[in-house]
Amino acid sequence: REALAHLLYGIQGDGAFILLSGEVGTGKTTICRCLLEQIPSQVDTAFILNPKLTAAEMLAAACDDLKIEYPKDATIKVLTDCINRYLLEAHAKDRRTVLIIDEAQNLSIEVLEQLRLLTNLETNQRKLLQIILLGQPELLTLLAQPELRQLSQRITARFHLGALNREEISAYIKHRLAVAGAKGSFFSKQSVDRIFKISQGIPRITNLICDRSLLGAYSE
């Protein structure tokens, strides 16, 4: 809830960048999907899942997702001009645009700098493009580099997803079972202790252990 609140706060604000970081399997993409379900109707979104792209490829991918037409073999300048024109037209219609980039720790410094330049377009009230970066802890190290200090200063909302503690893992397992329609908890206190120790509080690993445990118990 806290991570989701930070993302929603960021979108409703006037900042350029919003950051959600966390270890592998802590639920960054899940929270982002939840965000997309709650995003205001006047917000248009582009979602980039594979950020291992050049600056030109990243701009073209954003154009594709936002259905912006551009010439074949367009240069970075042409692509940028197309996006800026789209953003101005969207603003005139009182619409907002959000670009979401998953696995953002794989972005190069060149591409991140190009994204920062994209957010330069603004009115007296707000930026015309907001960018949400989802990434593993390596993204925090990347953004701390001196070359990216201008981008880092533009992050107006940031949240880091940590692992769950023992009590949270217990509640998480019960919740997942309840959503699946189960009657009862199935997992003893000792089982949950063991699951927590093996998973180290990572939800995705907890899912795998519980799933295999239930399957094993069923087959027995």
Side-chain angles (χ1 to χ4, degrees), residues 9-31:
Y9 166 78
I11 288 176
Q12 290 160 4
D14 55 4
F17 287 90
I18 302 161
L19 173 64
L20 178 62
S21 59
E23 287 290 349
V24 176
T26 50
K28 299 181 294 296
T29 306
T30 301
I31 287 174

PDB file of all heavy atoms in Angstrom, residues 9-31:
ATOM      1  N   TYR A   9       0.992   9.212  -5.691  1.00  0.00           N
ATOM      2  CA  TYR A   9       1.358  10.586  -5.300  1.00  0.00           C
ATOM      3  C   TYR A   9       2.235  11.219  -6.375  1.00  0.00           C
ATOM      4  O   TYR A   9       2.053  12.381  -6.753  1.00  0.00           O
ATOM      5  CB  TYR A   9       2.094  10.565  -3.959  1.00  0.00           C
ATOM      6  CG  TYR A   9       2.802  11.855  -3.640  1.00  0.00           C
ATOM      7  CD1 TYR A   9       2.102  12.964  -3.165  1.00  0.00           C
ATOM      8  CD2 TYR A   9       4.187  11.985  -3.839  1.00  0.00           C
ATOM      9  CE1 TYR A   9       2.748  14.157  -2.889  1.00  0.00           C
ATOM     10  CE2 TYR A   9       4.841  13.169  -3.565  1.00  0.00           C
ATOM     11  CZ  TYR A   9       4.123  14.255  -3.082  1.00  0.00           C
ATOM     12  OH  TYR A   9       4.769  15.435  -2.815  1.00  0.00           O
ATOM     13  N   GLY A  10       3.197  10.429  -6.872  1.00  0.00           N
ATOM     14  CA  GLY A  10       4.101  10.943  -7.894  1.00  0.00           C
ATOM     15  C   GLY A  10       3.363  11.328  -9.164  1.00  0.00           C
ATOM     16  O   GLY A  10       3.621  12.379  -9.754  1.00  0.00           O
ATOM     17  N   ILE A  11       2.409  10.488  -9.592  1.00  0.00           N
ATOM     18  CA  ILE A  11       1.659  10.761 -10.821  1.00  0.00           C
ATOM     19  C   ILE A  11       0.760  11.984 -10.658  1.00  0.00           C
ATOM     20  O   ILE A  11       0.586  12.772 -11.589  1.00  0.00           O
ATOM     21  CB  ILE A  11       0.837   9.516 -11.225  1.00  0.00           C
ATOM     22  CG1 ILE A  11       1.773   8.430 -11.758  1.00  0.00           C
ATOM     23  CG2 ILE A  11      -0.210   9.861 -12.282  1.00  0.00           C
ATOM     24  CD1 ILE A  11       1.077   7.142 -12.093  1.00  0.00           C
ATOM     25  N   GLN A  12       0.193  12.148  -9.470  1.00  0.00           N
ATOM     26  CA  GLN A  12      -0.693  13.291  -9.241  1.00  0.00           C
ATOM     27  C   GLN A  12       0.078  14.591  -9.046  1.00  0.00           C
ATOM     28  O   GLN A  12      -0.490  15.675  -9.128  1.00  0.00           O
ATOM     29  CB  GLN A  12      -1.568  13.011  -8.013  1.00  0.00           C
ATOM     30  CG  GLN A  12      -2.604  11.914  -8.262  1.00  0.00           C
ATOM     31  CD  GLN A  12      -3.144  11.298  -6.985  1.00  0.00           C
ATOM     32  OE1 GLN A  12      -2.806  11.738  -5.882  1.00  0.00           O
ATOM     33  NE2 GLN A  12      -3.972  10.280  -7.124  1.00  0.00           N
ATOM     34  N   GLY A  13       1.400  14.464  -8.812  1.00  0.00           N
ATOM     35  CA  GLY A  13       2.227  15.649  -8.628  1.00  0.00           C
ATOM     36  C   GLY A  13       2.717  16.189  -9.955  1.00  0.00           C
ATOM     37  O   GLY A  13       2.232  15.822 -11.025  1.00  0.00           O
ATOM     38  N   ASP A  14       3.716  17.065  -9.884  1.00  0.00           N
ATOM     39  CA  ASP A  14       4.205  17.719 -11.106  1.00  0.00           C
ATOM     40  C   ASP A  14       5.678  17.407 -11.382  1.00  0.00           C
ATOM     41  O   ASP A  14       6.339  18.109 -12.128  1.00  0.00           O
ATOM     42  CB  ASP A  14       3.999  19.235 -11.019  1.00  0.00           C
ATOM     43  CG  ASP A  14       4.651  19.833  -9.767  1.00  0.00           C
ATOM     44  OD1 ASP A  14       5.313  19.074  -9.039  1.00  0.00           O
ATOM     45  OD2 ASP A  14       4.484  21.041  -9.532  1.00  0.00           O
ATOM     46  N   GLY A  15       6.188  16.330 -10.765  1.00  0.00           N
ATOM     47  CA  GLY A  15       7.593  15.976 -10.955  1.00  0.00           C
ATOM     48  C   GLY A  15       7.828  15.186 -12.221  1.00  0.00           C
ATOM     49  O   GLY A  15       6.893  14.714 -12.879  1.00  0.00           O
ATOM     50  N   ALA A  16       9.117  15.011 -12.562  1.00  0.00           N
ATOM     51  CA  ALA A  16       9.472  14.337 -13.805  1.00  0.00           C
ATOM     52  C   ALA A  16       9.637  12.829 -13.635  1.00  0.00           C
ATOM     53  O   ALA A  16       9.145  12.052 -14.449  1.00  0.00           O
ATOM     54  CB  ALA A  16      10.759  14.925 -14.365  1.00  0.00           C
ATOM     55  N   PHE A  17      10.327  12.405 -12.557  1.00  0.00           N
ATOM     56  CA  PHE A  17      10.653  10.992 -12.384  1.00  0.00           C
ATOM     57  C   PHE A  17      10.096  10.434 -11.080  1.00  0.00           C
ATOM     58  O   PHE A  17      10.075  11.116 -10.053  1.00  0.00           O
ATOM     59  CB  PHE A  17      12.176  10.777 -12.411  1.00  0.00           C
ATOM     60  CG  PHE A  17      12.793  10.908 -13.770  1.00  0.00           C
ATOM     61  CD1 PHE A  17      13.248  12.140 -14.223  1.00  0.00           C
ATOM     62  CD2 PHE A  17      12.909   9.810 -14.611  1.00  0.00           C
ATOM     63  CE1 PHE A  17      13.809  12.272 -15.482  1.00  0.00           C
ATOM     64  CE2 PHE A  17      13.469   9.930 -15.868  1.00  0.00           C
ATOM     65  CZ  PHE A  17      13.928  11.158 -16.308  1.00  0.00           C
ATOM     66  N   ILE A  18       9.677   9.167 -11.146  1.00  0.00           N
ATOM     67  CA  ILE A  18       9.204   8.425  -9.979  1.00  0.00           C
ATOM     68  C   ILE A  18       9.987   7.120  -9.961  1.00  0.00           C
ATOM     69  O   ILE A  18      10.159   6.480 -11.003  1.00  0.00           O
ATOM     70  CB  ILE A  18       7.691   8.143 -10.087  1.00  0.00           C
ATOM     71  CG1 ILE A  18       6.915   9.460 -10.225  1.00  0.00           C
ATOM     72  CG2 ILE A  18       7.188   7.363  -8.876  1.00  0.00           C
ATOM     73  CD1 ILE A  18       5.513   9.292 -10.789  1.00  0.00           C
ATOM     74  N   LEU A  19      10.467   6.717  -8.783  1.00  0.00           N
ATOM     75  CA  LEU A  19      11.359   5.557  -8.684  1.00  0.00           C
ATOM     76  C   LEU A  19      10.798   4.512  -7.727  1.00  0.00           C
ATOM     77  O   LEU A  19      10.429   4.828  -6.599  1.00  0.00           O
ATOM     78  CB  LEU A  19      12.739   6.013  -8.201  1.00  0.00           C
ATOM     79  CG  LEU A  19      13.771   4.929  -7.879  1.00  0.00           C
ATOM     80  CD1 LEU A  19      14.130   4.145  -9.135  1.00  0.00           C
ATOM     81  CD2 LEU A  19      15.009   5.541  -7.262  1.00  0.00           C
ATOM     82  N   LEU A  20      10.718   3.270  -8.210  1.00  0.00           N
ATOM     83  CA  LEU A  20      10.361   2.134  -7.348  1.00  0.00           C
ATOM     84  C   LEU A  20      11.450   1.080  -7.505  1.00  0.00           C
ATOM     85  O   LEU A  20      11.626   0.516  -8.579  1.00  0.00           O
ATOM     86  CB  LEU A  20       9.002   1.545  -7.732  1.00  0.00           C
ATOM     87  CG  LEU A  20       8.556   0.320  -6.930  1.00  0.00           C
ATOM     88  CD1 LEU A  20       8.394   0.655  -5.451  1.00  0.00           C
ATOM     89  CD2 LEU A  20       7.247  -0.254  -7.484  1.00  0.00           C
ATOM     90  N   SER A  21      12.199   0.842  -6.428  1.00  0.00           N
ATOM     91  CA  SER A  21      13.279  -0.137  -6.471  1.00  0.00           C
ATOM     92  C   SER A  21      12.990  -1.278  -5.511  1.00  0.00           C
ATOM     93  O   SER A  21      12.142  -1.162  -4.619  1.00  0.00           O
ATOM     94  CB  SER A  21      14.618   0.533  -6.119  1.00  0.00           C
ATOM     95  OG  SER A  21      14.549   1.118  -4.821  1.00  0.00           O
ATOM     96  N   GLY A  22      13.701  -2.379  -5.686  1.00  0.00           N
ATOM     97  CA  GLY A  22      13.514  -3.526  -4.808  1.00  0.00           C
ATOM     98  C   GLY A  22      14.273  -4.733  -5.331  1.00  0.00           C
ATOM     99  O   GLY A  22      14.620  -4.799  -6.511  1.00  0.00           O
ATOM    100  N   GLU A  23      14.519  -5.685  -4.446  1.00  0.00           N
ATOM    101  CA  GLU A  23      15.187  -6.924  -4.836  1.00  0.00           C
ATOM    102  C   GLU A  23      14.327  -7.719  -5.819  1.00  0.00           C
ATOM    103  O   GLU A  23      13.111  -7.489  -5.927  1.00  0.00           O
ATOM    104  CB  GLU A  23      15.472  -7.785  -3.599  1.00  0.00           C
ATOM    105  CG  GLU A  23      16.602  -7.261  -2.716  1.00  0.00           C
ATOM    106  CD  GLU A  23      17.977  -7.401  -3.358  1.00  0.00           C
ATOM    107  OE1 GLU A  23      18.083  -8.078  -4.391  1.00  0.00           O
ATOM    108  OE2 GLU A  23      18.930  -6.833  -2.816  1.00  0.00           O
ATOM    109  N   VAL A  24      14.953  -8.662  -6.513  1.00  0.00           N
ATOM    110  CA  VAL A  24      14.236  -9.544  -7.432  1.00  0.00           C
ATOM    111  C   VAL A  24      13.152 -10.295  -6.650  1.00  0.00           C
ATOM    112  O   VAL A  24      13.410 -10.840  -5.577  1.00  0.00           O
ATOM    113  CB  VAL A  24      15.209 -10.558  -8.072  1.00  0.00           C
ATOM    114  CG1 VAL A  24      14.456 -11.543  -8.945  1.00  0.00           C
ATOM    115  CG2 VAL A  24      16.276  -9.835  -8.868  1.00  0.00           C
ATOM    116  N   GLY A  25      11.930 -10.289  -7.191  1.00  0.00           N
ATOM    117  CA  GLY A  25      10.857 -11.073  -6.584  1.00  0.00           C
ATOM    118  C   GLY A  25      10.101 -10.394  -5.460  1.00  0.00           C
ATOM    119  O   GLY A  25       9.280 -11.025  -4.793  1.00  0.00           O
ATOM    120  N   THR A  26      10.351  -9.089  -5.231  1.00  0.00           N
ATOM    121  CA  THR A  26       9.646  -8.407  -4.141  1.00  0.00           C
ATOM    122  C   THR A  26       8.322  -7.784  -4.576  1.00  0.00           C
ATOM    123  O   THR A  26       7.577  -7.279  -3.736  1.00  0.00           O
ATOM    124  CB  THR A  26      10.534  -7.316  -3.500  1.00  0.00           C
ATOM    125  OG1 THR A  26      11.085  -6.487  -4.533  1.00  0.00           O
ATOM    126  CG2 THR A  26      11.671  -7.932  -2.701  1.00  0.00           C
ATOM    127  N   GLY A  27       8.025  -7.788  -5.878  1.00  0.00           N
ATOM    128  CA  GLY A  27       6.694  -7.358  -6.318  1.00  0.00           C
ATOM    129  C   GLY A  27       6.617  -6.030  -7.034  1.00  0.00           C
ATOM    130  O   GLY A  27       5.545  -5.419  -7.095  1.00  0.00           O
ATOM    131  N   LYS A  28       7.712  -5.561  -7.625  1.00  0.00           N
ATOM    132  CA  LYS A  28       7.703  -4.267  -8.310  1.00  0.00           C
ATOM    133  C   LYS A  28       6.719  -4.251  -9.472  1.00  0.00           C
ATOM    134  O   LYS A  28       5.904  -3.332  -9.606  1.00  0.00           O
ATOM    135  CB  LYS A  28       9.113  -3.926  -8.813  1.00  0.00           C
ATOM    136  CG  LYS A  28      10.162  -3.807  -7.729  1.00  0.00           C
ATOM    137  CD  LYS A  28      11.523  -3.453  -8.290  1.00  0.00           C
ATOM    138  CE  LYS A  28      12.108  -4.537  -9.159  1.00  0.00           C
ATOM    139  NZ  LYS A  28      12.380  -5.793  -8.445  1.00  0.00           N
ATOM    140  N   THR A  29       6.788  -5.272 -10.326  1.00  0.00           N
ATOM    141  CA  THR A  29       5.909  -5.321 -11.503  1.00  0.00           C
ATOM    142  C   THR A  29       4.460  -5.519 -11.076  1.00  0.00           C
ATOM    143  O   THR A  29       3.537  -4.943 -11.673  1.00  0.00           O
ATOM    144  CB  THR A  29       6.347  -6.458 -12.444  1.00  0.00           C
ATOM    145  OG1 THR A  29       7.739  -6.299 -12.759  1.00  0.00           O
ATOM    146  CG2 THR A  29       5.554  -6.422 -13.740  1.00  0.00           C
ATOM    147  N   THR A  30       4.235  -6.305 -10.021  1.00  0.00           N
ATOM    148  CA  THR A  30       2.877  -6.518  -9.507  1.00  0.00           C
ATOM    149  C   THR A  30       2.273  -5.204  -9.039  1.00  0.00           C
ATOM    150  O   THR A  30       1.104  -4.895  -9.333  1.00  0.00           O
ATOM    151  CB  THR A  30       2.902  -7.525  -8.335  1.00  0.00           C
ATOM    152  OG1 THR A  30       3.454  -8.756  -8.805  1.00  0.00           O
ATOM    153  CG2 THR A  30       1.497  -7.771  -7.799  1.00  0.00           C
ATOM    154  N   ILE A  31       3.051  -4.417  -8.304  1.00  0.00           N
ATOM    155  CA  ILE A  31       2.571  -3.113  -7.826  1.00  0.00           C
ATOM    156  C   ILE A  31       2.289  -2.187  -9.003  1.00  0.00           C
ATOM    157  O   ILE A  31       1.313  -1.433  -9.003  1.00  0.00           O
ATOM    158  CB  ILE A  31       3.600  -2.481  -6.864  1.00  0.00           C
ATOM    159  CG1 ILE A  31       3.556  -3.228  -5.527  1.00  0.00           C
ATOM    160  CG2 ILE A  31       3.325  -0.999  -6.644  1.00  0.00           C
ATOM    161  CD1 ILE A  31       4.613  -2.814  -4.545  1.00  0.00           C
TER     162      ILE A  31
END
